[in-house]
Amino acid sequence: MCDHHAPSMSRRQLLFAGAAAITLAGVTAEDGFAAEPSAGPAPNAIAPDVALARLMEGNARYVANAPSNKDYSAGRAARVTAQYPIAAIVSCADARVAPELAFDQGPGDLFVVRVAGNFVNDDGLASLEYGVKFLGVPLVMVLGHTNCGAVSATVKMIQEKAVMPGHLADMVQSIKPAVLAARHDGGERDLAARATIENVRINAGRLTVSKPILGHYVKDGRVKVVGAMYDLATGKVSIL
């Protein structure tokens, strides 16, 4: 029989009890985030420039229509217990941009954060911090692309003083600084294209100095942040 007069646990008490249960099971909170320990250095314990070279070599294969990744079942069982991505990609949600394909990488190789307009908000930053701190990601790339609808919508909103419905207004506010910076530098000529590049540069710059995690890793040389552009027509990625 239930005792309706028993005191209920607060949310903090519930969280504490959950953490205690995990600790009793022999796993600390931080261990729960980390990848499973491996014998010797982790597979992604490589220099940032090595990771970047792998991505660009993979992109060259993709552009040449000669991908090396064809068996996506390979390593599936091993990936159940751990992941060792060589890079984190901040990508646009555009359906035509598929980072794993564009860089010819297999499952588990890339830690991808996607949002229309490839900008970084608090949620995206938390994901990137997770990738760097707990998964050992050595490279972070902000990947924009040609003909970005999110940037074009922001340009239209600014030029026509249009009002975007729903939460689209929040997206526009995040991309707006790039449009204003591009307009300041070159006026209205090719504004969307230039703003797309500026948007990548702004977000890559923010991540480079982001506190308290990413900026620290960048300063120590353990992580590199780069900006890049994906050409929808050719599939080629260019580093900015």
Side-chain angles (χ1 to χ4, degrees):
M1 182 175 179
C2 297
D3 183 359
H4 295 287
H5 298 287
S8 61
M9 296 180 70
S10 67
R11 184 182 180 188
R12 177 174 295 183
Q13 289 172 320
L14 286 170
L15 290 173
F16 180 81
I22 293 175
T23 302
L24 288 173
V27 182
T28 66
E30 184 163 307
D31 289 336
F33 281 109
E36 290 292 321
S38 60
N44 63 345
I46 57 178
D49 285 337
V50 173
L52 180 58
R54 288 190 188 179
L55 292 190
M56 300 311 292
E57 289 165 2
N59 180 244
R61 294 192 299 270
Y62 173 73
V63 172
N65 199 30
S68 62
N69 281 286
K70 298 176 182 179
D71 183 2
Y72 292 103
S73 66
R76 184 175 291 159
R79 290 192 297 270
V80 171
T81 57
Q83 57 175 319
Y84 300 100
I86 64 170
I89 310 291
V90 180
S91 171
C92 183
D94 193 298
R96 299 166 293 180
V97 182
E100 288 86 356
L101 296 179
F103 292 109
D104 189 28
Q105 300 299 310
D109 290 335
L110 299 182
F111 189 74
V112 182
V113 177
R114 301 190 69 166
V115 63
N118 48 266
F119 59 87
V120 180
N121 56 18
D122 287 346
D123 295 326
L125 178 58
S127 294
L128 295 173
E129 290 176 338
Y130 173 87
V132 166
K133 183 171 178 61
F134 295 108
L135 302 181
V137 168
L139 177 72
V140 177
M141 175 184 285
V142 180
L143 182 64
H145 67 92
T146 55
N147 301 101
C148 181
V151 175
S152 296
T154 303
V155 169
K156 180 180 177 66
M157 187 278 297
I158 293 174
Q159 290 177 332
E160 301 180 6
K161 296 182 173 56
V163 177
M164 301 295 285
H167 290 86
L168 290 171
D170 296 333
M171 178 194 74
V172 165
Q173 286 303 311
S174 295
I175 301 174
K176 185 176 179 179
V179 177
L180 296 180
R183 172 190 264 178
H184 179 268
D185 292 340
E188 303 297 322
R189 178 182 56 84
D190 299 324
L191 180 55
R194 290 184 294 104
T196 300
I197 295 174
E198 190 64 33
N199 185 48
V200 170
R201 287 176 173 159
I202 287 176
N203 283 279
R206 287 173 178 168
L207 292 177
T208 300
V209 297
S210 174
K211 295 180 179 180
I213 296 176
L214 261 62
H216 176 68
Y217 277 73
V218 171
K219 186 176 181 180
D220 286 351
R222 289 180 286 173
V223 171
K224 184 173 187 176
V225 178
V226 298
M229 283 290 296
Y230 175 83
D231 190 305
L232 288 178
T234 66
K236 182 177 176 58
V237 173
S238 301
I239 304 298
L240 297 180

